[in-house]
Short mmCIF file of all heavy atoms in Angstrom, two decimals:
data_model
loop_
_atom_site.label_atom_id
_atom_site.label_comp_id
_atom_site.label_asym_id
_atom_site.label_seq_id
_atom_site.Cartn_x
_atom_site.Cartn_y
_atom_site.Cartn_z
N LYS A 114 122.58 148.55 108.75
CA LYS A 114 123.80 148.06 109.40
C LYS A 114 124.71 147.35 108.42
O LYS A 114 125.92 147.33 108.57
CB LYS A 114 123.44 147.10 110.55
CG LYS A 114 122.69 147.79 111.68
CD LYS A 114 122.88 147.12 113.03
CE LYS A 114 122.29 145.73 113.07
NZ LYS A 114 122.05 145.27 114.46
N TYR A 115 124.11 146.71 107.41
CA TYR A 115 124.91 145.83 106.55
C TYR A 115 124.92 146.33 105.11
O TYR A 115 123.97 146.94 104.64
CB TYR A 115 124.33 144.41 106.60
CG TYR A 115 124.25 143.86 107.99
CD1 TYR A 115 123.19 143.06 108.38
CD2 TYR A 115 125.24 144.15 108.94
CE1 TYR A 115 123.10 142.55 109.66
CE2 TYR A 115 125.16 143.65 110.23
CZ TYR A 115 124.09 142.85 110.59
OH TYR A 115 124.01 142.37 111.85
N ARG A 118 121.92 146.13 102.07
CA ARG A 118 120.58 145.86 102.58
C ARG A 118 120.13 147.00 103.49
O ARG A 118 120.92 147.51 104.28
CB ARG A 118 120.56 144.56 103.40
CG ARG A 118 120.71 143.32 102.58
CD ARG A 118 121.46 142.24 103.36
NE ARG A 118 122.87 142.57 103.46
CZ ARG A 118 123.75 141.89 104.20
NH1 ARG A 118 123.38 140.87 104.91
NH2 ARG A 118 125.02 142.25 104.23
N LEU A 120 116.95 147.90 106.22
CA LEU A 120 115.81 147.33 106.94
C LEU A 120 114.83 148.44 107.32
O LEU A 120 115.22 149.44 107.91
CB LEU A 120 116.35 146.60 108.18
CG LEU A 120 115.41 145.77 109.05
CD1 LEU A 120 116.18 144.59 109.66
CD2 LEU A 120 114.80 146.61 110.14
N ILE A 189 114.49 145.08 103.44
CA ILE A 189 113.91 144.11 104.37
C ILE A 189 112.80 144.81 105.14
O ILE A 189 113.03 145.82 105.79
CB ILE A 189 114.98 143.60 105.35
CG1 ILE A 189 116.13 142.93 104.58
CG2 ILE A 189 114.37 142.63 106.36
CD1 ILE A 189 117.36 142.67 105.44
N ARG A 220 112.47 141.59 100.90
CA ARG A 220 112.44 140.53 101.91
C ARG A 220 111.50 140.93 103.04
O ARG A 220 111.45 142.09 103.44
CB ARG A 220 113.85 140.32 102.46
CG ARG A 220 113.92 139.10 103.34
CD ARG A 220 115.17 138.89 104.15
NE ARG A 220 116.45 139.32 103.67
CZ ARG A 220 117.57 139.20 104.42
NH1 ARG A 220 117.50 138.64 105.61
NH2 ARG A 220 118.73 139.64 103.96
N TYR A 310 117.49 129.02 107.88
CA TYR A 310 118.44 130.05 107.50
C TYR A 310 119.37 130.35 108.67
O TYR A 310 120.56 130.03 108.64
CB TYR A 310 117.64 131.29 107.08
CG TYR A 310 118.43 132.51 106.68
CD1 TYR A 310 119.63 132.42 105.99
CD2 TYR A 310 117.95 133.79 106.99
CE1 TYR A 310 120.33 133.57 105.62
CE2 TYR A 310 118.63 134.93 106.61
CZ TYR A 310 119.82 134.81 105.94
OH TYR A 310 120.50 135.95 105.58
N TYR A 311 118.83 130.92 109.73
CA TYR A 311 119.64 131.27 110.90
C TYR A 311 119.13 130.56 112.15
O TYR A 311 117.92 130.37 112.32
CB TYR A 311 119.57 132.77 111.18
CG TYR A 311 120.46 133.64 110.30
CD1 TYR A 311 120.03 134.90 109.92
CD2 TYR A 311 121.72 133.22 109.90
CE1 TYR A 311 120.84 135.72 109.14
CE2 TYR A 311 122.53 134.03 109.13
CZ TYR A 311 122.09 135.29 108.75
OH TYR A 311 122.89 136.11 107.99
N GLU A 353 124.47 138.50 116.92
CA GLU A 353 124.60 139.86 116.42
C GLU A 353 125.46 140.64 117.37
O GLU A 353 125.21 140.66 118.58
CB GLU A 353 123.22 140.50 116.30
CG GLU A 353 122.94 140.93 114.88
CD GLU A 353 121.54 141.47 114.71
OE1 GLU A 353 120.59 140.69 114.88
OE2 GLU A 353 121.43 142.66 114.42
N LYS A 360 126.05 139.58 110.58
CA LYS A 360 125.84 138.74 111.74
C LYS A 360 127.09 137.86 111.86
O LYS A 360 127.69 137.47 110.86
CB LYS A 360 124.59 137.88 111.57
CG LYS A 360 123.40 138.72 111.11
CD LYS A 360 122.13 138.42 111.84
CE LYS A 360 120.94 139.10 111.21
NZ LYS A 360 120.79 140.53 111.54
C1 PLP B 401 119.77 140.83 110.44
C2 PLP B 401 119.73 142.13 109.76
C3 PLP B 401 119.76 142.21 108.37
C4 PLP B 401 119.78 140.99 107.49
O1 PLP B 401 120.96 140.31 107.57
P1 PLP B 401 121.15 139.01 106.65
O2 PLP B 401 122.42 138.43 107.13
O3 PLP B 401 121.19 139.50 105.25
O4 PLP B 401 119.98 138.15 106.91
C5 PLP B 401 119.77 143.46 107.79
N1 PLP B 401 119.74 144.59 108.51
C6 PLP B 401 119.71 144.54 109.86
C7 PLP B 401 119.69 145.83 110.60
C8 PLP B 401 119.68 143.32 110.54
O5 PLP B 401 119.63 143.29 111.86
#
Side-chain angles (χ1 to χ4, degrees):
K114 295 207 295 200
Y115 304 143
R118 288 148 287 173
L120 187 148
I189 301 167
R220 189 191 328 176
Y310 178 36
Y311 280 145
E353 239 176 295
K360 311 225 189 280

